[in-house]
Amino acid sequence: MAKTKRRYICQACGSVAHRWQGQCGDCAEWNTLVEDAPATVFSQKHDLSSGGRPVEFVKLDAPGEELKRRPTGLAEFDRALGGGLVPGSAILMGGDPGIGKSTLLLQAAAKIAKAGGETVYVSGEEAAGQVRLRAARLGLADAPLKLAAATSVRDILTTLGTMEPPALLVIDSIQTMHSDTIEGAPGTVSQVRGCAFELIRYAKENGVAMVLVGHVTKDGSIAGPRVLEHMVDVVMSFEGERSHQYRILRALKNRFGAVDEIGVFAMAGAGLEEVANPSMLFLSGRDEPLAGSAVFPALEGTRPVLIEVQALIVRLQSGATPRRAVVGWDGGRLAMLLAVLESRCGLNFSSAEVYLNVAGGYRLTDPAADLAVAAALVSALSDRALPRNSVWFGEVSLAGEVRPVAHSSLRLREAAKLGFAKGFGPADAKANSPDLNYQEVKQLANLVDRVVKQD
Ligand code: TYD
Ligand code: MG
């Protein structure tokens, strides 16, 4: 006999609890448990070892279908996807509200439609009129794409069932979809998961490339349980600061390609423009070197991007707890670097407020940025500018050593190409560039000596 049991699912990590509690026992987030559709628990164990059909095994090198990709025509989008949309794949696109997800997808859908591919754009958030207005503003009103405002998965799938499967299906957003076979309001874990499941099944069975737009929670993960990320083939995130112009499209997971290439866009009056050469975007373009600013030679996939890291240190007179604020970098990593600078180099940040900013709304994740951040901090603390036209890279260990990182010589070569004259980084046999003066920084203490005692 089957009996039903209440269960609660954490919206942040997807773990299941049988009792409601204020804090998730697994990820320690507060107020994230939501009642899920009742699970059926069988009191008798079923024997699954007989009665099934045999599963066929195949060889790894057995001839199969070749992966065909359909370029969207937006080169930066294709680059982040690893070469284009794969038919029958599901892509989850996350990003803060207002960052430009709907704009990007409308532009991509219009491009495909203009190139002769059938595209369906289902908007659950905006009325068709609103999307049409936006398309007019983007100069895409003549694109032959099929637009609908709908939120019922049954309606959507029924309609799609009566037509030729499109090349691209956009669902904007998965949190607004609902299925009448599932209990709960749209946006709850069971609805999001159930709707995604049905839509993905349709996409796979019909060879349709589908993009699901997903909202992002405060801490940056895509809302709804993590299972959504497991269900799709590609997870992309559209990032940037809303107040800045630049947007970065990044694949966090990709079953069909590498995840290290990014797409770079600029939000302009007429939608998102592609930025084919982003190397200089995240520099401030100032001539005179300024205390607290360091340039980090980042690599995004195969493309070099030079990024300015800015630090500001404000000494406090009173005994108030000093603030540490970071934009574009990890706060925990900043705390670690400050601790290393204090304990290994004898610097004192304890009574000072520390602000760190990565220029242009860029988000740094490469550990090689440690040395550039440290250089900006030391430069700000000592109020001395770093050498003119210099770049800094290297990972800093807890012992205060500067460790080698990947692609040193590529970073230096690209910096030299862009007019930088000096590079500071780890002792690394591969790190040298004929066009650039490379100086090894083995210990953070060497950096401090160099900055504080330079003349
Ligand atoms: P939108 O695509 O609606 O964001 P999302 O779907 O991620 O929530 O983007 C909305 C923002 O983009 C809005 O604040 C205005 C800006 N924008 C422009 O600057 N130029 C444009 O041409 C368009 C269409 C939007
Ligand atoms: Mg939107």
Side-chain angles (χ1 to χ4, degrees), residues 346-362:
L347 299 181
N348 181 11
F349 292 94
S350 58
S351 61
E353 299 198 314
V354 178
Y355 299 93
L356 191 81
N357 177 43
V358 178
Y362 193 88

Side-chain angles (χ1 to χ4, degrees), residues 23-34:
Q23 187 181 24
C24 171
D26 273 352
C27 67
E29 283 290 321
W30 289 91
N31 286 329
T32 53
L33 288 189
V34 168

Side-chain angles (χ1 to χ4, degrees), residues 354-389:
V354 178
Y355 299 93
L356 191 81
N357 177 43
V358 178
Y362 193 88
R363 227 198 120 64
L364 277 180
T365 48
D366 187 351
D370 287 356
L371 190 66
V373 175
L377 288 170
V378 173
S379 160
L381 187 75
S382 60
D383 201 19
R384 307 195 67 154
L386 297 171
R388 179 190 286 275
N389 287 335

Side-chain angles (χ1 to χ4, degrees), residues 313-324 350-353 355:
I313 311 261
V314 183
R315 284 258 165 242
L316 285 185
Q317 302 302 335
S318 66
T321 314
R323 266 178 72 103
R324 268 102 177 85
S350 58
S351 61
E353 299 198 314
Y355 299 93

Side-chain angles (χ1 to χ4, degrees), residues 129-327:
Q130 273 174 293
V131 182
R132 271 209 307 271
L133 270 181
R134 172 178 311 176
R137 192 141 65 83
L138 297 172
L140 301 171
D142 59 336
L145 67 84
K146 291 200 160 72
L147 169 68
T151 54
S152 157
V153 173
R154 187 189 292 274
D155 293 352
I156 296 168
L157 290 179
T158 308
T159 312
L160 288 169
T162 61
M163 52 189 268
E164 276 287 295
L168 171 67
L169 167 64
V170 178
I171 303 287
D172 187 1
S173 65
I174 186 65
Q175 275 91 358
T176 56
M177 295 295 133
H178 73 91
S179 159
D180 51 21
T181 59
I182 303 165
E183 270 183 59
T188 54
V189 187
S190 42
Q191 280 285 357
V192 167
R193 201 173 35 187
C195 293
F197 182 79
E198 292 301 326
L199 289 163
I200 291 170
R201 183 158 65 184
Y202 166 80
K204 297 246 176 272
E205 283 173 1
N206 295 281
V208 173
M210 178 176 69
V211 181
L212 302 172
V213 174
H215 287 296
V216 160
T217 57
K218 279 198 296 305
D219 63 351
S221 57
I222 295 171
R226 273 283 150 82
V227 279
L228 211 51
E229 295 188 11
H230 296 297
M231 285 161 72
V232 297
D233 303 299
V234 182
V235 178
M236 309 205 85
S237 125
F238 203 35
E239 305 167 357
E241 292 286 323
R242 232 180 316 169
S243 49
H244 285 94
Q245 194 187 2
Y246 298 111
R247 303 282 183 273
I248 292 183
L249 183 64
R250 201 187 283 281
L252 305 177
K253 156 183 169 177
N254 191 347
R255 286 191 182 143
F256 311 112
V259 289
D260 55 353
E261 290 285 4
I262 58 165
V264 185
F265 297 88
M267 182 59 96
L272 290 158
E273 283 166 10
E274 301 184 60
V275 180
N277 183 9
S279 53
M280 302 289 276
L281 286 188
F282 301 96
L283 295 178
S284 60
R286 117 173 47 80
D287 289 337
E288 277 308 300
L290 203 71
S293 148
V295 175
F296 168 58
L299 277 181
E300 286 292 357
T302 52
R303 283 188 301 186
V305 186
L306 292 164
I307 294 157
E308 183 179 327
V309 180
Q310 303 159 346
L312 178 67
I313 311 261
V314 183
R315 284 258 165 242
L316 285 185
Q317 302 302 335
S318 66
T321 314
R323 266 178 72 103
R324 268 102 177 85
V326 198
V327 178

Side-chain angles (χ1 to χ4, degrees), residues 101-102 125-126 134 172:
K101 300 179 294 296
S102 304
E125 304 204 327
E126 293 164 288
R134 172 178 311 176
D172 187 1

